[in-house]
PDB file of all heavy atoms in Angstrom:
ATOM      1  N   GLY M  53      -1.400 -20.923   6.228  1.00 91.00           N
ATOM      2  CA  GLY M  53       0.005 -21.026   5.907  1.00 91.00           C
ATOM      3  C   GLY M  53       0.877 -21.391   7.081  1.00 91.00           C
ATOM      4  O   GLY M  53       0.500 -21.229   8.239  1.00 91.00           O
ATOM      5  N   VAL M  54       2.048 -21.874   6.722  1.00 93.00           N
ATOM      6  CA  VAL M  54       3.090 -22.154   7.704  1.00 93.00           C
ATOM      7  C   VAL M  54       4.373 -21.529   7.175  1.00 93.00           C
ATOM      8  O   VAL M  54       4.686 -21.619   5.992  1.00 93.00           O
ATOM      9  CB  VAL M  54       3.243 -23.673   7.962  1.00 93.00           C
ATOM     10  CG1 VAL M  54       3.618 -24.431   6.706  1.00 93.00           C
ATOM     11  CG2 VAL M  54       4.243 -23.933   9.069  1.00 93.00           C
ATOM     12  N   GLY M  55       5.085 -20.850   8.066  1.00 93.00           N
ATOM     13  CA  GLY M  55       6.319 -20.184   7.682  1.00 93.00           C
ATOM     14  C   GLY M  55       7.387 -20.381   8.727  1.00 93.00           C
ATOM     15  O   GLY M  55       7.093 -20.634   9.897  1.00 93.00           O
ATOM     16  N   SER M  56       8.634 -20.250   8.285  1.00 94.00           N
ATOM     17  CA  SER M  56       9.761 -20.413   9.187  1.00 94.00           C
ATOM     18  C   SER M  56      10.954 -19.652   8.628  1.00 94.00           C
ATOM     19  O   SER M  56      11.105 -19.538   7.410  1.00 94.00           O
ATOM     20  CB  SER M  56      10.108 -21.893   9.328  1.00 94.00           C
ATOM     21  OG  SER M  56      11.209 -22.069  10.182  1.00 94.00           O
ATOM     22  N   PRO M  57      11.820 -19.137   9.511  1.00 94.00           N
ATOM     23  CA  PRO M  57      13.062 -18.548   9.014  1.00 94.00           C
ATOM     24  C   PRO M  57      13.909 -19.614   8.315  1.00 94.00           C
ATOM     25  O   PRO M  57      13.825 -20.803   8.654  1.00 94.00           O
ATOM     26  CB  PRO M  57      13.765 -18.062  10.292  1.00 94.00           C
ATOM     27  CG  PRO M  57      12.714 -18.017  11.345  1.00 94.00           C
ATOM     28  CD  PRO M  57      11.695 -19.037  10.962  1.00 94.00           C
ATOM     29  N   LEU M  58      14.725 -19.204   7.364  1.00 92.00           N
ATOM     30  CA  LEU M  58      15.575 -20.150   6.657  1.00 92.00           C
ATOM     31  C   LEU M  58      16.760 -20.596   7.498  1.00 92.00           C
ATOM     32  O   LEU M  58      17.340 -21.654   7.248  1.00 92.00           O
ATOM     33  CB  LEU M  58      16.061 -19.529   5.345  1.00 92.00           C
ATOM     34  CG  LEU M  58      14.973 -19.259   4.308  1.00 92.00           C
ATOM     35  CD1 LEU M  58      15.569 -18.559   3.099  1.00 92.00           C
ATOM     36  CD2 LEU M  58      14.293 -20.541   3.902  1.00 92.00           C
ATOM     37  N   THR M  59      17.127 -19.812   8.506  1.00 93.00           N
ATOM     38  CA  THR M  59      18.311 -20.113   9.304  1.00 93.00           C
ATOM     39  C   THR M  59      18.051 -21.107  10.432  1.00 93.00           C
ATOM     40  O   THR M  59      18.987 -21.700  10.954  1.00 93.00           O
ATOM     41  CB  THR M  59      18.883 -18.821   9.908  1.00 93.00           C
ATOM     42  OG1 THR M  59      17.866 -18.186  10.683  1.00 93.00           O
ATOM     43  CG2 THR M  59      19.354 -17.883   8.810  1.00 93.00           C
ATOM     44  N   ARG M  60      16.803 -21.277  10.838  1.00 94.00           N
ATOM     45  CA  ARG M  60      16.467 -22.213  11.912  1.00 94.00           C
ATOM     46  C   ARG M  60      15.022 -22.669  11.722  1.00 94.00           C
ATOM     47  O   ARG M  60      14.222 -21.976  11.121  1.00 94.00           O
ATOM     48  CB  ARG M  60      16.649 -21.576  13.285  1.00 94.00           C
ATOM     49  CG  ARG M  60      15.737 -20.397  13.524  1.00 94.00           C
ATOM     50  CD  ARG M  60      16.123 -19.617  14.790  1.00 94.00           C
ATOM     51  NE  ARG M  60      15.258 -18.486  14.984  1.00 94.00           N
ATOM     52  CZ  ARG M  60      15.304 -17.336  14.302  1.00 94.00           C
ATOM     53  NH1 ARG M  60      16.209 -17.189  13.364  1.00 94.00           N
ATOM     54  NH2 ARG M  60      14.481 -16.352  14.559  1.00 94.00           N
ATOM     55  N   MET M  61      14.705 -23.822  12.290  1.00 93.00           N
ATOM     56  CA  MET M  61      13.339 -24.346  12.190  1.00 93.00           C
ATOM     57  C   MET M  61      12.518 -23.786  13.346  1.00 93.00           C
ATOM     58  O   MET M  61      12.653 -24.201  14.480  1.00 93.00           O
ATOM     59  CB  MET M  61      13.362 -25.875  12.236  1.00 93.00           C
ATOM     60  CG  MET M  61      12.013 -26.465  12.034  1.00 93.00           C
ATOM     61  SD  MET M  61      11.362 -26.004  10.430  1.00 93.00           S
ATOM     62  CE  MET M  61      10.066 -27.162  10.273  1.00 93.00           C
ATOM     63  N   GLU M  62      11.696 -22.785  13.033  1.00 93.00           N
ATOM     64  CA  GLU M  62      10.831 -22.131  14.024  1.00 93.00           C
ATOM     65  C   GLU M  62       9.505 -21.816  13.343  1.00 93.00           C
ATOM     66  O   GLU M  62       9.266 -20.692  12.901  1.00 93.00           O
ATOM     67  CB  GLU M  62      11.500 -20.856  14.510  1.00 93.00           C
ATOM     68  CG  GLU M  62      10.824 -20.194  15.679  1.00 93.00           C
ATOM     69  CD  GLU M  62      11.607 -18.972  16.120  1.00 93.00           C
ATOM     70  OE1 GLU M  62      12.708 -19.129  16.656  1.00 93.00           O
ATOM     71  OE2 GLU M  62      11.095 -17.862  15.901  1.00 93.00           O
ATOM     72  N   PRO M  63       8.607 -22.818  13.236  1.00 94.00           N
ATOM     73  CA  PRO M  63       7.386 -22.626  12.453  1.00 94.00           C
ATOM     74  C   PRO M  63       6.407 -21.625  13.071  1.00 94.00           C
ATOM     75  O   PRO M  63       6.250 -21.550  14.281  1.00 94.00           O
ATOM     76  CB  PRO M  63       6.765 -24.017  12.397  1.00 94.00           C
ATOM     77  CG  PRO M  63       7.394 -24.791  13.485  1.00 94.00           C
ATOM     78  CD  PRO M  63       8.704 -24.153  13.802  1.00 94.00           C
ATOM     79  N   HIS M  64       5.788 -20.837  12.188  1.00 91.00           N
ATOM     80  CA  HIS M  64       4.718 -19.901  12.525  1.00 91.00           C
ATOM     81  C   HIS M  64       3.531 -20.251  11.642  1.00 91.00           C
ATOM     82  O   HIS M  64       3.699 -20.689  10.514  1.00 91.00           O
ATOM     83  CB  HIS M  64       5.134 -18.448  12.243  1.00 91.00           C
ATOM     84  CG  HIS M  64       6.399 -18.048  12.883  1.00 91.00           C
ATOM     85  ND1 HIS M  64       6.491 -17.698  14.201  1.00 91.00           N
ATOM     86  CD2 HIS M  64       7.654 -17.943  12.391  1.00 91.00           C
ATOM     87  CE1 HIS M  64       7.735 -17.381  14.492  1.00 91.00           C
ATOM     88  NE2 HIS M  64       8.462 -17.530  13.405  1.00 91.00           N
ATOM     89  N   PHE M  65       2.329 -20.020  12.147  1.00 92.00           N
ATOM     90  CA  PHE M  65       1.127 -20.356  11.394  1.00 92.00           C
ATOM     91  C   PHE M  65       0.264 -19.111  11.212  1.00 92.00           C
ATOM     92  O   PHE M  65       0.273 -18.212  12.050  1.00 92.00           O
ATOM     93  CB  PHE M  65       0.333 -21.442  12.128  1.00 92.00           C
ATOM     94  CG  PHE M  65       1.117 -22.709  12.307  1.00 92.00           C
ATOM     95  CD1 PHE M  65       1.859 -22.926  13.452  1.00 92.00           C
ATOM     96  CD2 PHE M  65       1.129 -23.669  11.311  1.00 92.00           C
ATOM     97  CE1 PHE M  65       2.599 -24.079  13.619  1.00 92.00           C
ATOM     98  CE2 PHE M  65       1.867 -24.837  11.465  1.00 92.00           C
ATOM     99  CZ  PHE M  65       2.601 -25.031  12.622  1.00 92.00           C
ATOM    100  N   THR M  66      -0.482 -19.088  10.114  1.00 89.00           N
ATOM    101  CA  THR M  66      -1.372 -17.965   9.834  1.00 89.00           C
ATOM    102  C   THR M  66      -2.642 -18.473   9.166  1.00 89.00           C
ATOM    103  O   THR M  66      -2.631 -19.518   8.515  1.00 89.00           O
ATOM    104  CB  THR M  66      -0.673 -16.911   8.942  1.00 89.00           C
ATOM    105  OG1 THR M  66      -1.516 -15.783   8.800  1.00 89.00           O
ATOM    106  CG2 THR M  66      -0.340 -17.456   7.569  1.00 89.00           C
ATOM    107  N   LEU M  67      -3.717 -17.730   9.359  1.00 89.00           N
ATOM    108  CA  LEU M  67      -4.991 -18.005   8.695  1.00 89.00           C
ATOM    109  C   LEU M  67      -5.669 -16.673   8.449  1.00 89.00           C
ATOM    110  O   LEU M  67      -5.908 -15.912   9.374  1.00 89.00           O
ATOM    111  CB  LEU M  67      -5.887 -18.898   9.562  1.00 89.00           C
ATOM    112  CG  LEU M  67      -7.264 -19.222   8.986  1.00 89.00           C
ATOM    113  CD1 LEU M  67      -7.130 -20.016   7.685  1.00 89.00           C
ATOM    114  CD2 LEU M  67      -8.094 -19.988   9.996  1.00 89.00           C
ATOM    115  N   HIS M  68      -5.956 -16.365   7.184  1.00 87.00           N
ATOM    116  CA  HIS M  68      -6.561 -15.075   6.840  1.00 87.00           C
ATOM    117  C   HIS M  68      -8.081 -15.116   6.805  1.00 87.00           C
ATOM    118  O   HIS M  68      -8.723 -14.102   6.997  1.00 87.00           O
ATOM    119  CB  HIS M  68      -6.020 -14.577   5.501  1.00 87.00           C
ATOM    120  CG  HIS M  68      -4.582 -14.191   5.575  1.00 87.00           C
ATOM    121  ND1 HIS M  68      -4.159 -12.986   6.055  1.00 87.00           N
ATOM    122  CD2 HIS M  68      -3.469 -14.882   5.268  1.00 87.00           C
ATOM    123  CE1 HIS M  68      -2.846 -12.942   6.035  1.00 87.00           C
ATOM    124  NE2 HIS M  68      -2.397 -14.085   5.560  1.00 87.00           N
ATOM    125  N   GLY M  69      -8.667 -16.276   6.551  1.00 89.00           N
ATOM    126  CA  GLY M  69     -10.120 -16.322   6.486  1.00 89.00           C
ATOM    127  C   GLY M  69     -10.673 -17.715   6.701  1.00 89.00           C
ATOM    128  O   GLY M  69     -10.021 -18.709   6.412  1.00 89.00           O
ATOM    129  N   LEU M  70     -11.899 -17.761   7.227  1.00 91.00           N
ATOM    130  CA  LEU M  70     -12.604 -19.009   7.482  1.00 91.00           C
ATOM    131  C   LEU M  70     -14.032 -18.854   6.975  1.00 91.00           C
ATOM    132  O   LEU M  70     -14.685 -17.851   7.264  1.00 91.00           O
ATOM    133  CB  LEU M  70     -12.615 -19.319   8.980  1.00 91.00           C
ATOM    134  CG  LEU M  70     -13.458 -20.494   9.443  1.00 91.00           C
ATOM    135  CD1 LEU M  70     -12.840 -21.795   8.938  1.00 91.00           C
ATOM    136  CD2 LEU M  70     -13.543 -20.508  10.960  1.00 91.00           C
ATOM    137  N   GLU M  71     -14.502 -19.827   6.210  1.00 92.00           N
ATOM    138  CA  GLU M  71     -15.860 -19.819   5.684  1.00 92.00           C
ATOM    139  C   GLU M  71     -16.567 -21.099   6.116  1.00 92.00           C
ATOM    140  O   GLU M  71     -15.983 -22.175   6.077  1.00 92.00           O
ATOM    141  CB  GLU M  71     -15.856 -19.777   4.155  1.00 92.00           C
ATOM    142  CG  GLU M  71     -15.102 -18.627   3.556  1.00 92.00           C
ATOM    143  CD  GLU M  71     -14.919 -18.771   2.049  1.00 92.00           C
ATOM    144  OE1 GLU M  71     -15.392 -19.773   1.473  1.00 92.00           O
ATOM    145  OE2 GLU M  71     -14.300 -17.894   1.466  1.00 92.00           O
ATOM    146  N   VAL M  72     -17.819 -20.976   6.517  1.00 93.00           N
ATOM    147  CA  VAL M  72     -18.633 -22.133   6.868  1.00 93.00           C
ATOM    148  C   VAL M  72     -19.976 -21.971   6.164  1.00 93.00           C
ATOM    149  O   VAL M  72     -20.622 -20.938   6.296  1.00 93.00           O
ATOM    150  CB  VAL M  72     -18.845 -22.241   8.397  1.00 93.00           C
ATOM    151  CG1 VAL M  72     -19.718 -23.433   8.722  1.00 93.00           C
ATOM    152  CG2 VAL M  72     -17.516 -22.336   9.122  1.00 93.00           C
ATOM    153  N   ASP M  73     -20.366 -22.973   5.389  1.00 92.00           N
ATOM    154  CA  ASP M  73     -21.634 -22.958   4.661  1.00 92.00           C
ATOM    155  C   ASP M  73     -22.369 -24.267   4.901  1.00 92.00           C
ATOM    156  O   ASP M  73     -21.761 -25.342   4.914  1.00 92.00           O
ATOM    157  CB  ASP M  73     -21.409 -22.818   3.152  1.00 92.00           C
ATOM    158  CG  ASP M  73     -20.834 -21.474   2.777  1.00 92.00           C
ATOM    159  OD1 ASP M  73     -21.390 -20.459   3.214  1.00 92.00           O
ATOM    160  OD2 ASP M  73     -19.828 -21.446   2.047  1.00 92.00           O
ATOM    161  N   TYR M  74     -23.668 -24.153   5.065  1.00 94.00           N
ATOM    162  CA  TYR M  74     -24.527 -25.329   5.184  1.00 94.00           C
ATOM    163  C   TYR M  74     -25.691 -25.149   4.230  1.00 94.00           C
ATOM    164  O   TYR M  74     -26.394 -24.140   4.294  1.00 94.00           O
ATOM    165  CB  TYR M  74     -25.047 -25.499   6.615  1.00 94.00           C
ATOM    166  CG  TYR M  74     -25.934 -26.699   6.776  1.00 94.00           C
ATOM    167  CD1 TYR M  74     -25.395 -27.959   6.929  1.00 94.00           C
ATOM    168  CD2 TYR M  74     -27.314 -26.562   6.736  1.00 94.00           C
ATOM    169  CE1 TYR M  74     -26.204 -29.081   7.054  1.00 94.00           C
ATOM    170  CE2 TYR M  74     -28.135 -27.678   6.865  1.00 94.00           C
ATOM    171  CZ  TYR M  74     -27.574 -28.923   7.015  1.00 94.00           C
ATOM    172  OH  TYR M  74     -28.379 -30.021   7.133  1.00 94.00           O
ATOM    173  N   GLN M  75     -25.882 -26.124   3.328  1.00 91.00           N
ATOM    174  CA  GLN M  75     -26.980 -26.061   2.367  1.00 91.00           C
ATOM    175  C   GLN M  75     -27.724 -27.381   2.360  1.00 91.00           C
ATOM    176  O   GLN M  75     -27.130 -28.432   2.162  1.00 91.00           O
ATOM    177  CB  GLN M  75     -26.457 -25.787   0.960  1.00 91.00           C
ATOM    178  CG  GLN M  75     -25.806 -24.447   0.806  1.00 91.00           C
ATOM    179  CD  GLN M  75     -25.306 -24.219  -0.612  1.00 91.00           C
ATOM    180  OE1 GLN M  75     -25.465 -25.060  -1.483  1.00 91.00           O
ATOM    181  NE2 GLN M  75     -24.693 -23.083  -0.831  1.00 91.00           N
ATOM    182  N   SER M  76     -29.013 -27.294   2.619  1.00 91.00           N
ATOM    183  CA  SER M  76     -29.871 -28.466   2.504  1.00 91.00           C
ATOM    184  C   SER M  76     -31.190 -28.005   1.910  1.00 91.00           C
ATOM    185  O   SER M  76     -31.398 -26.815   1.668  1.00 91.00           O
ATOM    186  CB  SER M  76     -30.081 -29.132   3.866  1.00 91.00           C
ATOM    187  OG  SER M  76     -30.857 -28.294   4.694  1.00 91.00           O
ATOM    188  N   GLU M  77     -32.071 -28.905   1.681  1.00 90.00           N
ATOM    189  CA  GLU M  77     -33.350 -28.567   1.083  1.00 90.00           C
ATOM    190  C   GLU M  77     -34.122 -27.628   2.012  1.00 90.00           C
ATOM    191  O   GLU M  77     -34.453 -27.970   3.142  1.00 90.00           O
ATOM    192  CB  GLU M  77     -34.159 -29.841   0.838  1.00 90.00           C
ATOM    193  CG  GLU M  77     -35.279 -29.653  -0.126  1.00 90.00           C
ATOM    194  CD  GLU M  77     -35.892 -30.990  -0.498  1.00 90.00           C
ATOM    195  OE1 GLU M  77     -35.142 -31.905  -0.840  1.00 90.00           O
ATOM    196  OE2 GLU M  77     -37.125 -31.077  -0.423  1.00 90.00           O
ATOM    197  N   GLY M  78     -34.353 -26.410   1.564  1.00 88.00           N
ATOM    198  CA  GLY M  78     -35.117 -25.434   2.334  1.00 88.00           C
ATOM    199  C   GLY M  78     -34.316 -24.613   3.336  1.00 88.00           C
ATOM    200  O   GLY M  78     -34.860 -23.734   3.984  1.00 88.00           O
ATOM    201  N   LEU M  79     -32.998 -24.895   3.486  1.00 90.00           N
ATOM    202  CA  LEU M  79     -32.191 -24.152   4.453  1.00 90.00           C
ATOM    203  C   LEU M  79     -30.804 -23.915   3.895  1.00 90.00           C
ATOM    204  O   LEU M  79     -30.148 -24.831   3.397  1.00 90.00           O
ATOM    205  CB  LEU M  79     -32.068 -24.925   5.771  1.00 90.00           C
ATOM    206  CG  LEU M  79     -31.196 -24.288   6.849  1.00 90.00           C
ATOM    207  CD1 LEU M  79     -31.794 -22.955   7.296  1.00 90.00           C
ATOM    208  CD2 LEU M  79     -31.030 -25.235   8.016  1.00 90.00           C
ATOM    209  N   GLU M  80     -30.374 -22.664   3.956  1.00 90.00           N
ATOM    210  CA  GLU M  80     -29.030 -22.309   3.533  1.00 90.00           C
ATOM    211  C   GLU M  80     -28.479 -21.281   4.514  1.00 90.00           C
ATOM    212  O   GLU M  80     -29.068 -20.224   4.718  1.00 90.00           O
ATOM    213  CB  GLU M  80     -29.046 -21.727   2.117  1.00 90.00           C
ATOM    214  CG  GLU M  80     -27.690 -21.402   1.583  1.00 90.00           C
ATOM    215  CD  GLU M  80     -27.728 -20.943   0.131  1.00 90.00           C
ATOM    216  OE1 GLU M  80     -28.638 -21.356  -0.602  1.00 90.00           O
ATOM    217  OE2 GLU M  80     -26.840 -20.155  -0.236  1.00 90.00           O
ATOM    218  N   VAL M  81     -27.352 -21.602   5.155  1.00 91.00           N
ATOM    219  CA  VAL M  81     -26.727 -20.731   6.138  1.00 91.00           C
ATOM    220  C   VAL M  81     -25.246 -20.653   5.813  1.00 91.00           C
ATOM    221  O   VAL M  81     -24.614 -21.661   5.511  1.00 91.00           O
ATOM    222  CB  VAL M  81     -26.909 -21.282   7.573  1.00 91.00           C
ATOM    223  CG1 VAL M  81     -26.225 -20.391   8.580  1.00 91.00           C
ATOM    224  CG2 VAL M  81     -28.372 -21.448   7.906  1.00 91.00           C
ATOM    225  N   GLY M  82     -24.702 -19.442   5.872  1.00 90.00           N
ATOM    226  CA  GLY M  82     -23.279 -19.275   5.610  1.00 90.00           C
ATOM    227  C   GLY M  82     -22.705 -18.121   6.389  1.00 90.00           C
ATOM    228  O   GLY M  82     -23.405 -17.162   6.715  1.00 90.00           O
ATOM    229  N   ALA M  83     -21.424 -18.238   6.714  1.00 87.00           N
ATOM    230  CA  ALA M  83     -20.730 -17.167   7.429  1.00 87.00           C
ATOM    231  C   ALA M  83     -19.263 -17.179   7.038  1.00 87.00           C
ATOM    232  O   ALA M  83     -18.706 -18.222   6.706  1.00 87.00           O
ATOM    233  CB  ALA M  83     -20.870 -17.353   8.936  1.00 87.00           C
ATOM    234  N   SER M  84     -18.653 -15.999   7.068  1.00 85.00           N
ATOM    235  CA  SER M  84     -17.234 -15.859   6.762  1.00 85.00           C
ATOM    236  C   SER M  84     -16.591 -14.928   7.761  1.00 85.00           C
ATOM    237  O   SER M  84     -17.177 -13.913   8.153  1.00 85.00           O
ATOM    238  CB  SER M  84     -17.034 -15.268   5.363  1.00 85.00           C
ATOM    239  OG  SER M  84     -17.570 -16.098   4.383  1.00 85.00           O
TER     240      SER M  84
END
Side-chain angles (χ1 to χ4, degrees):
V54 60
S56 179
L58 294 176
T59 57
R60 63 191 179 284
M61 184 61 164
E62 189 177 291
H64 306 281
F65 300 92
T66 186
L67 178 63
H68 291 279
L70 172 68
E71 304 170 0
V72 179
D73 293 310
Y74 180 81
Q75 295 180 1
S76 68
E77 197 171 311
L79 177 64
E80 183 175 332
V81 178
S84 298

